[in-house]
Amino acid sequence: MPKQIDTILINIGQLLTMESSGPHAGKSMQDLHVIEDAVVGIHEQKIVFAEKKGAEADYEADEIIDCSGRLVTPGLVDPHTHLVFGGSREKEMNLKLQGISYLEILAQGGGILSTVKDTRAASEEELLQKGHLHLKRMLSYGTTTAEVKSGYGLDKDTELKQLRVAKQLHESQPIDLVSTFMGAHAIPPEDKDRPDEFLDRMLDLLPEIKAEELAAFADIFTETGVFTVSQSRRYLKKAAEAGFGLKIHADEIDPLGGAELAAELRAVSADHLVGASNEGIQQMAESGTIAVLLPGTTFYLGKHTYARARDMIDAGVRVSLATDFNPGSSPTENIQLIMSIAALHLRMTAEEIWHAVTVNAAYAIGKGDEAGQLKAGRSADLVIWQASNYMYIPYHYGVNHVHQVMKNGTIVVNREGGIHG
Ligand code: NIG
Ligand code: FE
């Protein structure tokens, strides 16, 4: 007697399961296992099998999805976003054209601080509605799990408001969200001359955030004119003591030693890393800290020097990729575009890129056991692409290649389209 299950995907041209017992380090990111002519079975929101054609022989399904030779992969994981914010910053584009830099705009009270003003002024309802719009777009590009940071409040009420909105968003739309408290994102104007007191006030919020389960991680912007390495060390140590996983916006613009700090504190991830030193890279390889690279931000800031992904991979670092979606330095929800920029500017291979946006990204947000892999027992989160092969996605850039997105066994995005490649 065949076993009855909910759904079987047949005629999968290429299947990437990304099966792995941990994040892929360094050169092993090149080892991509591709199953040609594959099938996937799904029952009660979970994967039953994901294998070569023939595995479906013992099963009957209520619904058959004919993939007609398409590529199928796990749902993508975007491990670094700032998606809950008020307002927008299109006016900064012209300032940039006049040669005013990102850090100069911030020093003049613009940049992050202008979004802080708008986020403080926005109601919870407004932030929720806006968050829904961004998440809907992220989902349409194939992202089924994402991280979201606070950090546009920089005061108690607004930081908590952002985190509560993120929690409601997690509960009310398909993308699973992991929250990070980033009260240490900038120094607000009212505390301009007392950064340490400001940090203490943000640290005071940790017990409440923990009690309400509003965030799993704490993050800080370690950068010239924002927080120093020693301020960051003090802040992150306290956050670790309070039970938070650690993340750092490290060496984004100036090389301050953020990568070394991340390794020293055994942070789960260090993000940006454009200016990371050789020692920092080596130490991250040894500590197992995942490098979350954000080449869309380098691109959007108009810089010509990108993070040294090749050196990181050669050194054995576990590399991941994210959009950094935010209203200032990376206004895009499109992780497929990031995959293309990673190929062109980080010189990552398609095989490395797929690890970076699935299994490694999931481990970068503490979700390695739940997301980023398509295997028996896992939630049925997957993407059916308008392409026949995995190399095609980073290659044909700037457009959306999603055919269908499945979250927990349900098709949540359906876009008509053929098959390329
Ligand atoms: O990751 N670097 C700091 N934070 C964000 C940008 C936030 C903003 O400009 O609003 C980033 O690039
Ligand atoms: Fe960021």
Side-chain angles (χ1 to χ4, degrees), residues 9 33 115 120 138 143 178 180 187 194 196 232 237-238 261 265 279 290 295 325 342 350 380 402 405 408 418:
L9 273 57
H33 180 53
T115 301
R120 286 178 177 177
M138 283 170 72
T143 298
V178 173
T180 297
I187 305 166
R194 344 161 248 223
D196 292 298
S232 304
K237 275 186 161 172
K238 291 248 164 83
L261 180 65
L265 299 178
E279 302 80 66
I290 296 175
F325 173 53
V402 162
V405 178
N408 292 323

Side-chain angles (χ1 to χ4, degrees), residues 70 386 402-403 415-420:
R70 290 186 169 85
Q386 290 176 359
V402 162
H403 181 64
R415 303 175 70 245
E416 288 307 310
I419 307 174
H420 299 261

Side-chain angles (χ1 to χ4, degrees), residues 80 82 89 92 102 111-113 115 149 152 182 185 221 223 249 252-253 272 294 297 301 324 326-330:
H80 182 139
H82 305 250
R89 309 227 294 267
E92 279 175 25
Y102 181 79
I112 296 176
L113 294 175
T115 301
K149 298 173 198 297
Y152 290 125
M182 200 176 176
H185 193 192
F221 191 13
E223 187 58 66
H249 277 62
E252 172 180 353
I253 297 165
H272 287 290
L294 309 163
T297 307
L301 290 177
D324 193 17
N326 74 70
S329 67
S330 188

